[in-house]
Amino acid sequence: MTQVIAIANQKGGVGKTTTSVNLAAALAALRKRVLLIDMDPQANATTGVGIDKHATALNLNDVLQERAEARAVLTQVGDESSTLYAIPGTPDLTESEVALMGAEQREYRLKQVLAPLVDFDFIIIDCPPSLNMLTVNGLVAANGVIIPMQCEYYALEGLSALMTTIEQIRQSANPQLVVLGLIRTMFDPRSNLARDVSDQLYSHFGDKLYNTVIPRNIRLAEAPSHGMPVLSYDRNSRGALAYLALAAEVLGNHQPATVEDVIEW
């Protein structure tokens, strides 16, 4: 059964797209068939895997507007042996956001168009950094949510609004939706605030807090400018190893993955 995971946080700059791209790539590297869906009109996940968001003949907007089927828009990432695919985003997704507001069953459009794609092990949805109709569609389509959290005060402040939205969607449109976990991103252990916020997250969420911590890492920051997941850019970097460890946790493994587990990219 395909596991559909929404990566969501209404606060920008917390590593949401970085997590979407690199978790998808890490799962694919661990021999899973993975689809990355870019729901954000900024389309940074699209460019982050090397797809020109301005040059796609078809994209997610065409799928949501029912001008194309999802399978016709699949784009393979990497070489022909890659098991990572993407449905590209585009700035034109704002058109879909407006159109969905007046559509029947507007919350279910993404879920409906993804229904035929049963041949993937994982579908990773990069949601916009706001609680808009595109994000709602991502949460309704998903089985679970992963919430990237930067360990700073304002990141904590917005978490309650997201948890309220998730609960509302559980009650009204998607009773199967669960929070799979919170992942601490851009973590600097030298910061007292980061450690304090991390402790608060652990006290409130316990086993919902992933053991893996994504560090601040220059190679992780550089990779998007080259249109690559960090595993392709520098597979031995701390950022790459952290996302492999996160992928192992998502797969339910107790031991973190290592570079020796990874298919050559």
Side-chain angles (χ1 to χ4, degrees):
M1 180 179 175
T2 302
Q3 185 166 7
V4 184
I5 300 174
I7 311 296
N9 193 323
Q10 81 275 23
K11 187 179 186 302
V14 298
K16 179 181 56 58
T17 296
T18 298
T19 295
S20 299
V21 167
N22 290 294
L23 175 59
L27 288 168
L30 293 172
R31 299 170 175 80
K32 299 300 178 183
R33 185 172 166 84
V34 184
L35 174 60
L36 173 66
I37 297 179
D38 191 351
M39 287 285 285
D40 189 345
Q42 296 179 78
N44 289 333
T46 298
T47 57
V49 293
I51 301 171
D52 186 346
K53 63 185 176 184
H54 299 296
T56 56
L58 294 170
N59 52 57
L60 182 60
N61 187 50
D62 297 298
V63 176
L64 295 177
Q65 295 286 330
E66 300 181 319
R67 296 190 291 258
E69 293 185 359
R71 195 168 294 279
V73 185
L74 295 181
T75 302
Q76 193 170 22
V77 176
D79 62 28
E80 61 184 15
S81 66
S82 173
T83 59
L84 177 60
Y85 291 77
I87 293 182
T90 168
D92 294 338
L93 275 168
T94 53
E95 176 190 356
S96 288
E97 183 180 355
V98 173
L100 285 170
M101 293 300 294
E104 292 186 8
Q105 293 192 312
R106 58 189 182 179
E107 301 93 343
Y108 298 92
R109 180 67 58 81
L110 183 64
K111 184 180 181 71
Q112 292 164 351
V113 301
L114 294 183
L117 303 179
V118 296
D119 52 330
F120 287 95
D121 297 306
F122 289 90
I123 296 176
I124 306 295
I125 304 170
D126 183 28
C127 295
S130 59
L131 298 178
N132 60 19
M133 187 50 61
L134 294 174
T135 299
V136 169
N137 264 258
L139 294 173
V140 171
N143 315 119
V145 187
I146 291 176
I147 304 172
M149 290 287 302
Q150 192 174 0
C151 289
E152 295 182 352
Y153 172 75
Y154 288 118
L156 263 182
E157 192 177 51
L159 183 58
S160 61
L162 177 60
M163 299 301 289
T164 299
T165 299
I166 291 170
E167 184 57 31
Q168 289 172 343
I169 288 173
R170 276 176 49 83
Q171 294 178 10
S172 63
N174 184 5
Q176 285 75 43
L177 184 65
V178 297
V179 175
L180 296 174
L182 289 81
I183 176 71
R184 290 160 288 181
T185 60
M186 294 177 278
F187 189 78
D188 184 352
R190 299 169 299 179
S191 165
N192 289 334
L193 176 60
R195 293 197 302 271
D196 289 345
V197 172
S198 180
D199 290 344
Q200 289 182 55
L201 288 172
Y202 184 77
S203 66
H204 281 89
F205 294 97
D207 60 2
K208 289 294 185 183
L209 189 65
Y210 284 113
N211 292 322
T212 301
V213 176
I214 309 300
R216 288 193 179 275
N217 177 245
I218 188 63
R219 307 302 271 175
L220 196 55
E222 290 172 347
S225 67
H226 295 270
M228 297 178 182
V230 70
L231 270 172
S232 301
Y233 183 60
D234 185 349
R235 67 199 301 265
N236 291 298
S237 66
R238 290 171 63 230
L241 295 173
Y243 276 108
L244 281 172
L246 176 61
E249 283 200 75
V250 169
L251 289 171
N253 298 337
H254 296 293
Q255 296 299 321
T258 68
V259 290
E260 286 74 23
D261 299 317
V262 178
I263 297 170
E264 289 288 346
W265 280 58

